[in-house]
Amino acid sequence: MSDRKPDEGGIAVIGLGRFGSHLAESLSALGREVLAIDRDAQQVQKWSPMLDQVAQADATDEGALRQLGVTDLGRAVVAIGASVEASVLTVLALVELGVPQIWARATSGQHAKILSSVGAHHVIFPEAETGERLAHLIISRMLDFVEFGEAFAVARIRVPPSLLGRPTSEIRLLDRYGVRIIGIRRPGEDRYRYVSDGLEFAEGTVLIVEGTIEQVQRFSTLT
């Protein structure tokens, strides 16, 4: 089994319909290695000039996914929308291959329940997500992400391990990352509050931070 963390390495995007292709383009624009897979030869031909790696394959076939090197990737997104059966079987194949982080597109509440029950770690509804926003969530540890304009963002992030046990009075140490913490929710609390001195960043603490998109993204990947 690979020692690579789920948020490292390449990302497989399975299904090159409108949503999958937009997501693959957004991930590529963020500098990530993308392996795009579709069973339709016309879709593969269409997107081959625009994406680094595009392969024609039946993603429900575990052997085909293994041959393409999906087992070497930390994340996979099942963007199939036309067939519930194909999306579920693809998730099952990825689970069997041991892919650490599986995101799957759902077309209904029932579909979402099935995807979760067979092993999808994150279920998404494209109608409520843009490709750009989802791309940022996939490549980081952010729990939520809102972009304002072309550069500014607010994100909900679990406290990075390197900050655990530190008092909030040391919040000035975050200046080097360029982000500002505007809210905090500690374990056992049901609401966010403003940061005050005397608190410690405990395991399970969730922060709301603001900054440029690049700063927020960089802060979310701290170890």
Side-chain angles (χ1 to χ4, degrees):
M1 183 178 292
S2 173
D3 293 330
R4 177 180 288 147
K5 298 177 182 178
D7 56 331
E8 296 176 349
I11 304 163
V13 176
I14 302 170
L16 287 174
R18 181 180 300 177
F19 175 70
S21 58
H22 191 186
L23 175 61
E25 282 189 307
S26 297
L27 289 167
S28 293
L30 289 170
R32 299 297 163 141
E33 175 190 352
V34 177
L35 168 61
I37 302 170
D38 199 286
R39 67 191 306 170
D40 187 332
Q42 289 185 336
Q43 289 291 79
V44 170
Q45 184 177 7
K46 174 183 177 181
W47 289 103
S48 290
M50 291 167 271
L51 299 170
D52 290 336
Q53 300 179 67
V54 185
Q56 181 184 1
D58 179 359
T60 66
D61 184 342
E62 185 180 328
L65 294 179
R66 182 181 288 107
Q67 188 172 7
L68 287 172
V70 173
T71 52
D72 297 326
L73 306 179
R75 289 150 295 181
V77 184
V78 180
I80 299 170
S83 169
V84 171
E85 179 182 6
S87 72
V88 171
L89 292 177
T90 299
V91 169
L92 281 169
L94 294 168
V95 170
E96 289 299 314
L97 290 173
V99 175
Q101 204 175 99
I102 302 169
W103 299 66
R105 171 188 181 177
T107 55
S108 68
Q110 185 178 25
H111 187 193
K113 289 180 181 179
I114 296 171
L115 291 170
S116 295
S117 67
V118 298
H121 304 108
H122 308 274
V123 176
I124 52 181
F125 289 87
E127 294 77 11
E129 302 281 1
T130 66
E132 293 90 349
R133 179 176 180 275
L134 186 58
H136 281 287
L137 293 175
I138 289 173
I139 67 173
S140 71
R141 299 189 183 96
M142 289 187 284
L143 302 172
D144 205 356
F145 173 88
V146 180
E147 181 179 346
F148 296 91
E150 297 182 356
F152 189 76
V154 174
R156 190 162 54 95
I157 303 171
R158 289 191 181 91
V159 63
S162 57
L163 296 182
L164 290 175
R166 292 191 179 188
T168 51
S169 57
E170 295 183 12
I171 198 169
R172 61 183 179 278
L173 294 177
L174 300 182
D175 289 346
R176 72 177 120 167
Y177 306 114
V179 301
R180 185 166 73 95
I181 296 179
I182 58 177
I184 182 171
R185 189 185 70 195
R186 304 182 74 222
E189 297 179 344
D190 58 2
R191 63 184 179 85
Y192 289 90
R193 54 172 158 162
Y194 293 113
V195 179
S196 60
D197 290 344
L199 297 176
E200 285 191 354
F201 291 116
E203 183 78 39
T205 297
V206 177
L207 307 175
I208 297 178
V209 303
E210 64 177 8
T212 67
I213 295 172
E214 292 76 14
Q215 290 166 341
V216 170
Q217 185 76 56
R218 187 164 56 249
F219 181 69
S220 73
T221 60
L222 292 178
T223 56

